Amino acid sequence: MSTTPPSARTPAAVPAPAPDRSPRRGQVRRPGDLVFSGASLASGLLIMAILAGVATFLLVQSLPVLTADPGEVTGEAGFAAYVLPLIVGTVLASVLAMAMATPVAVGIALFVSHYAPRRLGASIGFVIDLLAAVPSVVFGMWGWQVLAPRLVPAFAWLEANLGWVPLFAEGSNTGRTIATASLVLAVMILPIITAVSREVFLQTPRLHEEAALALGATKWEMIRTAVLPFGKPGVIGGTMLGLGRALGETMAVAIILSTGGFTWNIIGPGNSTIPAEIALNFPEAAGLRLSELIAAGLVLFVITLVVNLVARYIVEKRSEFSGAN
Amino acid sequence: MAIQTQHTGSDVTPPPRKRGPMEGIELSTVRPAGDRIGYAVLLGALALAATLWLAGGLNVVLAAVVGFLVYLAGVYTAYRVVGGRRVATDHVMRGLVYGAFILAVLPLVSLLWTVVGQGIPRAFHPDFLLQTMNGVTGVQDEATMQEGAPMVGGAYHAVVGTLVITGIATVLSVPIGLFTAIYLVEYSNKNALSHVIRFLVDVMTGIPSIVAGLFAFALWAMVFGIGTKDALAGAVALSVLMIPTVVRSSEEMLRIVPNDLREASLALGVPKWRTVAKVVLPTAASGLASGVTLAIARVIGETAPLLVAVGYARGLNLNPVEGPMNSLAVYAYYMFTRPLNPGFRDPSLERAWAAALLLVLLVVALNLTARLIAKLFAPKTGR
């Protein structure tokens, strides 16, 4: 900031008592300042401590399974063999969700930024935000009760007509499949991809757009030549943020999916994701099983961390904006 | 390549340009065709979809999809004839963009419809709001379904639990988040530490909620012994999710406070901390409050961390440091996936949807409150 505070030196050694905001302290300059800047600094450091704590405590709790005899782990082939199908299932569900959500999200973002009347755009933004606010357990219940039964005929059709593709080998008759879960995940990550894309699309330089139109471009040609190239990194970053969210999403998958071992067949029961595995088994787990699930959580933490960091990097390389939330 | 001139682009010579009112730049020569054709095609497609659905006995969704495809094809053909390939593509893309929007609204409408429809019968029943699940078993549910006995068991304990856990989480994360934002904006002078903190806040935003729950569980396991579950652990897990949201929104709000205000205050000899407390924070108050409200709305519906860190209680528990506590989200999850009586699911499902409705109403109310705060109490000098 351009102003120089009276006590600009960092009082790192100050412990962090609760901030004293009583005005009587105002007479004495230094203590008030020390308390305030100390509390601010301590909060910042606490965030670092929390993150370090997340990694440390998870690691400590998962040590027993990492050092355990492979025969004692679920599946009796060691932790790696246990967690690998879960990782594949998690990535499969999330990538499917991302693939379904991205085109629609880009469409909505374009609709809000370039097609809808400006006043309507704001209320549409609110509606989309509402979609982000619905608790995931409600999404799960909706997917189980409303969506899954309605997808059964679609799965049957896929099996009958595209059955030779391994992905559509055998249709489920309950609809509780990884495809259904991915569809619900897609709806859940739609808002974040839309929000980030919308913000970059709105940042497209007005002159680029008008130059394209002045050259005689139609609206779509203007979007394709001016808006989309400009917004591409934002869309990619938003998609990755959506992927990160889908990877960590628990309840929807835990409720909808009828879990099982890994299979390429996405329209039948089977597969599981790390968060769903934890949520379904944690309440009854004890001993080594507990440690196993926590270790799976650690793996999930690392995967989402990497995805999110890449996403941040791509988004921020473009420009600074706060659409990531 | 992409932007061609009119002559190479369209294979049909456009009709003589109409000199309409110049509505900005969009009235260019490549769009000689009006919107009327599009509306006509749309009406035709809608009529077709309705016919297929009502008379043809086709599934609603399938009929809508067929109608949409017919609309796209019709629009393309019509505009191809009237205005050429580029105009036709333009209109098809417009159709796709509008279609994407409608596609996104459908699940929202269906979801809200389901939640309200399934939840209303039970959600506002006094029995549901004032009873706990203490002593309620599958026997009562069977009696309800078989003999029409009144339904017993409610979510009073879950409502209270949600408020307690979220309340503690708010008390924990608002000071930390707010002071971190103050550090970043007012005290850090953009030093290396502030970059690290900002980076870590970004990392924290991406922590999956279940990992936050595992963190709280592991922390409690190390401090109080393995398997300790109580409301405070849940509040800590929710704080991990809430702090980054609070930091980000608060930082944004503090940044838009004009620097002139700070300089004027400092020039009058006011200490830095009083400047922050009496000038900066009050100016940004509405934005801060709305940011906090949104953060609460974000965590109030979390299920996974509470499932892991707090557990499931059948009765009322008001002590946040002793034993499991229930919450609306976990209540809905258990009622939905583990009905009291697997042979007679309906009463449990009804309770689950009622809890879901209460939860959605809470979230929507919080979101509206946040908007209202931001609108009503916005500082006049803000922007």
Side-chain angles (χ1 to χ4, degrees):
Chain A
M1 301 268 79
S2 60
T3 54
T4 326
S7 68
R9 58 205 171 84
T10 2
V14 173
D20 185 353
R21 294 204 206 167
S22 68
R24 274 166 289 134
R25 284 261 181 163
Q27 257 72 17
V28 198
R29 282 184 169 204
R30 277 291 143 76
D33 265 341
L34 283 181
V35 166
F36 222 69
S37 65
S40 309
L41 183 65
S43 304
L45 293 176
L46 191 61
I47 285 188
M48 302 172 80
I50 291 174
L51 261 178
V54 172
T56 319
F57 291 130
L58 290 188
L59 196 60
V60 169
Q61 290 295 325
S62 50
L63 271 184
V65 77
L66 298 179
T67 54
D69 178 49
E72 291 173 20
V73 181
T74 308
E76 301 184 353
F79 180 67
Y82 163 72
V83 84
L84 197 65
L86 292 177
I87 295 177
V88 177
T90 312
V91 173
L92 180 68
S94 311
V95 168
L96 279 176
M98 190 181 80
M100 286 188 273
T102 306
V104 180
V106 171
I108 305 167
L110 281 177
F111 179 74
V112 174
S113 65
H114 286 85
Y115 281 93
R118 192 150 297 180
R119 205 175 282 173
L120 194 64
S123 16
I124 293 168
F126 179 65
V127 171
I128 300 292
D129 287 347
L130 208 61
L131 204 56
V134 174
S136 60
V137 64
V138 181
F139 267 112
M141 289 160 66
W142 173 75
W144 193 95
Q145 190 159 326
V146 178
L147 192 62
R150 290 190 168 72
L151 283 178
V152 173
F155 292 155
W157 185 86
L158 279 175
E159 185 191 343
N161 293 285
L162 289 168
W164 48 273
V165 181
L167 289 177
F168 308 124
E170 203 185 341
S172 148
N173 47 19
T174 58
R176 299 179 58 192
T177 69
I178 198 97
T180 315
S182 303
L183 198 57
V184 174
L185 285 181
V187 177
M188 296 176 74
I189 63 174
L190 206 56
I192 186 165
I193 308 182
T194 306
V196 179
S197 310
R198 180 182 60 194
E199 214 151 316
V200 268
F201 289 162
L202 285 172
Q203 282 179 354
T204 314
R206 191 101 191 112
L207 283 178
H208 291 194
E209 294 177 8
E210 285 177 4
L213 291 171
L215 286 170
T218 61
K219 188 160 200 164
W220 166 245
E221 284 163 347
M222 180 273 280
I223 287 171
R224 205 186 53 185
T225 54
V227 179
L228 290 184
F230 181 85
K232 198 170 146 201
V235 173
I236 295 174
T239 306
M240 300 277 293
L241 285 178
L243 179 65
R245 192 151 290 185
L247 286 170
E249 181 44 53
T250 313
M251 298 325 290
V253 183
I255 293 178
I256 294 169
L257 187 59
S258 137
T259 54
F262 174 77
T263 157
W264 278 114
N265 178 20
I266 60 167
I267 57 168
N271 283 329
S272 187
T273 69
I274 295 178
E277 172 86 2
I278 300 172
L280 290 174
N281 296 302
F282 204 86
E284 279 83 32
L288 197 63
R289 183 81 178 120
L290 207 56
S291 161
E292 216 171 86
L293 293 173
I294 294 180
L298 186 64
V299 173
L300 178 72
F301 177 54
V302 174
I303 296 175
T304 49
L305 198 65
V306 171
V307 169
N308 279 307
L309 289 186
V310 174
R312 295 279 161 193
Y313 177 73
I314 298 173
V315 172
E316 258 146 47
K317 211 171 65 172
R318 184 64 190 174
S319 61
E320 286 195 294
F321 57 88
S322 57
N325 219 340
Chain B
M1 195 44 220
I3 301 170
Q4 298 153 324
T5 54
Q6 179 200 337
H7 299 289
T8 54
S10 49
D11 36 10
V12 180
T13 24
R17 191 169 45 161
K18 267 183 250 161
R19 281 230 170 251
M22 292 296 283
E23 288 175 13
I25 200 116
E26 285 181 25
L27 208 79
S28 94
T29 49
V30 288
R31 291 186 59 193
D35 285 337
R36 234 173 252 176
I37 307 169
Y39 289 133
V41 176
L42 180 62
L43 275 181
L46 280 178
L48 177 70
T51 321
L52 281 177
W53 172 35
L54 298 171
L58 214 56
N59 190 326
V60 195
V61 183
L62 218 55
V65 169
V66 170
F68 185 63
L69 291 179
V70 167
Y71 167 72
L72 288 183
V75 154
Y76 187 82
T77 325
Y79 280 100
R80 171 111 200 184
V81 172
V82 181
R85 185 180 54 81
R86 292 171 59 203
V87 177
T89 313
D90 184 45
H91 279 271
V92 168
M93 293 319 286
R94 177 188 298 264
L96 284 176
V97 165
Y98 277 71
F101 170 67
I102 295 167
L103 192 62
V105 172
L106 284 182
L108 183 66
V109 171
S110 162
L111 187 121
L112 293 180
W113 179 262
T114 313
V115 174
V116 173
Q118 304 273 335
I120 277 279
R122 193 71 189 155
F124 301 106
H125 198 284
D127 283 357
F128 184 72
L129 292 172
L130 295 173
Q131 288 181 4
T132 68
M133 294 304 287
N134 243 348
V136 180
T137 60
V139 180
Q140 275 102 330
D141 278 1
E142 191 175 342
T144 305
M145 283 192 73
Q146 297 283 45
E147 298 145 26
M151 203 167 130
V152 288
Y156 173 61
H157 57 313
V159 175
V160 173
T162 293
L163 296 181
V164 168
I165 297 173
T166 319
I168 299 175
T170 310
V171 170
L172 288 177
S173 43
V174 167
I176 297 176
L178 192 55
F179 271 103
T180 306
I182 291 176
Y183 178 76
L184 291 176
V185 178
E186 306 289 338
Y187 284 101
S188 72
N189 286 324
K190 296 198 170 164
N191 59 11
L193 181 64
S194 74
H195 288 289
V196 174
I197 291 176
R198 203 165 287 138
F199 171 76
L200 291 180
V201 168
D202 278 350
V203 169
M204 239 173 138
T205 315
I207 290 184
S209 60
I210 193 151
V211 172
L214 289 177
F215 158 69
F217 178 86
L219 180 64
W220 254 237
M222 293 182 64
V223 179
F224 303 109
I226 196 131
T228 314
K229 296 184 178 186
D230 59 32
L232 193 60
V236 166
L238 292 188
S239 299
V240 172
L241 300 171
M242 206 171 155
I243 288 172
T245 326
V246 175
V247 174
R248 288 187 74 99
S249 66
S250 309
E251 192 191 345
E252 224 163 284
M253 286 307 141
L254 293 180
R255 273 197 198 291
I256 60 172
V257 173
N259 242 342
D260 303 351
L261 291 181
R262 296 191 183 87
E263 281 161 9
S265 169
L266 290 171
L268 288 170
V270 179
K272 173 91 177 174
W273 74 272
R274 291 203 79 178
T275 305
V276 174
K278 299 272 172 177
V279 176
V280 177
L281 290 183
T283 311
S286 71
L288 296 175
S290 103
V292 168
T293 317
L294 283 179
I296 297 173
R298 194 195 143 185
V299 298
I300 203 166
E302 284 293 353
T303 316
L306 302 183
L307 193 68
V308 167
V310 187
Y312 180 78
R314 290 177 149 261
L316 185 65
N317 173 16
L318 286 173
N319 187 354
V321 290
E322 180 65 57
M325 195 184 269
N326 212 327
S327 56
L328 274 174
V330 177
Y331 178 86
Y333 172 69
Y334 267 92
M335 279 297 148
F336 196 79
T337 55
R338 297 172 199 194
L340 293 181
N341 189 335
F344 300 91
R345 287 178 55 98
D346 284 4
S348 289
L349 284 186
E350 205 169 302
R351 288 190 201 104
W353 281 110
L357 177 61
L358 290 182
L359 204 55
V360 169
L361 285 180
L362 267 178
V363 171
V364 171
L366 283 168
N367 270 289
L368 289 177
T369 313
R371 298 209 133 210
L372 217 59
I373 293 173
K375 213 171 192 175
L376 290 185
F377 303 104
K380 304 254 172 352
T381 51
R383 37 194 83 169

